[in-house]
């Protein structure tokens, strides 16, 4: 089991995900899990019809700093949906962090 915290940030759009991830990585000593994507239930009502999940890994304090910077950056762009920090993910949660829909066709 990995002892690193994980910060999960769901944003609107892939460009916002890249820019938010960059801001987060510059703000804390973190690394990224693969992005994930999800189509919202109301895509026709949204300006950006794709949700992308950015996942930061590191110490709780570094993940917190990364998340704050990433949320600020995302909010200045297309916005974010939700965010969570898990200080010590379980083994089952660790397995789920590796799954991403970008690998699916």
């Amino acid at each position: 089991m990995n002892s690193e915290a994980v910060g999960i940030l769901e944003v609107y759009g892939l460009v916002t995900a890249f820019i938010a991830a960059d801001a987060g990585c510059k703000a804390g000593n973190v690394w990224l899990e693969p992005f994930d994507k999800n189509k919202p239930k109301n895509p026709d009502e949204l300006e950006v019809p794709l949700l992308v999940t950015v996942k930061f890994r590191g110490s709780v304090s570094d993940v917190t700093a990364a998340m704050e910077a990433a949320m600020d950056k995302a909010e200045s762009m297309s916005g974010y949906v939700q965010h969570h920090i898990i200080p010590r993910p379980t083994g089952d949660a660790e397995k789920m962090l590796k799954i991403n829909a970008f690998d699916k066709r």
Side-chain angles (χ1 to χ4, degrees):
M1 184 165 67
N2 193 333
S3 63
E4 294 178 312
V6 61
I8 304 167
L9 177 63
E10 190 172 48
V11 301
Y12 292 106
L14 188 57
V15 172
T16 299
F18 277 110
I19 302 301
D22 180 65
C25 287
K26 290 175 179 171
N29 184 22
V30 295
W31 58 277
L32 298 171
E33 292 281 359
F35 287 0
D36 198 3
K37 69 177 180 175
N38 186 24
K39 188 174 182 178
K41 64 181 176 181
N42 58 340
D44 295 335
E45 299 171 22
L46 301 174
E47 186 175 327
V48 181
L50 176 67
L51 301 178
V52 179
T53 304
V54 179
K55 298 172 269 185
F56 297 104
R57 299 305 300 266
S59 70
V60 172
S61 60
D62 281 322
V63 167
T64 299
M67 289 285 284
E68 289 173 358
M71 289 186 303
D72 286 346
K73 185 56 75 171
E75 194 61 35
S76 74
M77 298 178 70
S78 58
Y80 66 90
V81 180
Q82 58 183 326
H83 61 93
H84 300 279
I85 295 176
I86 304 171
R88 289 177 309 284
T90 65
D92 289 337
E94 287 288 345
K95 291 176 191 173
M96 297 304 292
L97 288 169
K98 306 295 183 205
I99 295 173
N100 74 75
F102 280 112
D103 289 340
K104 311 290 184 272
R105 293 187 189 240

